[in-house]
Amino acid sequence: MSDTIQSLDQLSSIRTAAPEAPKHEKKVDKQGRAYATGKRKDAVARVWIKPGSGKIQVNTRELEVYFARPVLRMLIQQPIVAAARQGQYDVVATVAGGGLSGQAGAVRHGISKALTNFEPDLRGVLKKGGFLTRDSRVVERKKYGKAKARRSFQFSKR
C-alpha cells in the first residue's frame, strides 16, 4: 500500500484509461442488403435496404399506394432525408399489426436501424434526430369496473 494517495493533487495526476465506445460494424447479407426490425404501437416492420434508385415498397405495393396520406410518406422518408441519402437506397418492407400511423412509425424505425447497419457512420446523425429510439408508448389496457382504461361509467345520485 505504498502508492496511497495523500492529496487531491496526486489524485488529479492519476489517469485511468476511459473505456472506448463500441465500434459499430457494417452488417450486410449475401445479397448486399441490410436488415432491421422496426416497432411502433402494435405494428412490427421488417425492413431491408440495398443500394438503388430510391424506390420504397411496403407489403409489395408502392409507398404512394400503401400510405396514401402525405404526412405518413413524409414520416417514413425522414431518416433518409436526415442522412442525406435520397435516391440512393431501395427499401423493401413488410408490416403487420396496428393501424396505418403505427405502421408508418414502425417502417421509419426499421429504415433508421437498417441505415445504421449499412452505414455505421450515420448513427450519430440518426440518433440526434431521434430516429433510433423505439417509441414505447402503447395503448393502456382496459380495467374492470371502468368503461375504458380510465373512464368511469356515468355517475347518478338517484
Side-chain angles (χ1 to χ4, degrees):
M1 294 282 276
S2 63
D3 49 331
T4 307
I5 298 170
Q6 263 41 21
S7 69
L8 291 175
D9 294 331
Q10 292 175 337
L11 183 64
S12 65
S13 66
I14 296 175
R15 297 278 182 230
T16 57
E20 288 189 28
K23 299 288 181 206
H24 296 281
E25 300 170 3
K26 184 175 179 177
K27 295 179 189 141
V28 181
D29 64 5
K30 292 174 186 167
Q31 286 91 19
R33 304 174 301 181
Y35 169 79
T37 305
K39 295 182 180 181
R40 171 80 171 94
K41 293 188 179 180
D42 269 344
V44 179
R46 300 184 306 160
V47 179
W48 291 268
I49 64 165
K50 62 180 180 179
S53 59
K55 193 170 65 172
I56 300 178
Q57 267 192 337
V58 180
N59 290 353
T60 67
R61 288 188 255 168
E62 294 300 315
L63 180 70
E64 291 75 25
V65 176
Y66 195 84
F67 293 109
R69 297 200 328 238
V71 174
L72 297 180
R73 290 196 298 253
M74 179 208 62
L75 187 83
I76 287 172
Q77 293 177 343
Q78 277 179 336
I80 298 170
V81 171
R85 299 289 188 268
Q86 298 100 311
Q88 294 184 22
Y89 291 109
D90 286 344
V91 178
V92 177
T94 58
V95 199
L100 280 179
S101 176
Q103 288 184 351
V107 171
R108 171 185 160 195
H109 186 225
I111 288 173
S112 306
K113 287 170 64 176
L115 275 172
T116 58
N117 287 342
F118 202 89
E119 286 187 63
D121 298 337
L122 295 177
R123 183 172 171 81
V125 174
L126 295 172
K127 192 149 176 71
K128 189 177 282 186
F131 301 119
L132 296 176
T133 307
R134 195 255 200 240
D135 192 351
S136 61
R137 296 175 295 169
V138 292
V139 178
E140 189 175 346
R141 77 172 190 88
K142 184 194 175 302
K143 278 67 162 202
Y144 58 87
K146 297 280 186 179
K148 291 165 59 175
R150 298 186 182 196
R151 194 203 182 304
S152 299
F153 296 109
Q154 184 171 350
F155 174 76
S156 174
K157 200 168 194 178
R158 291 176 193 61

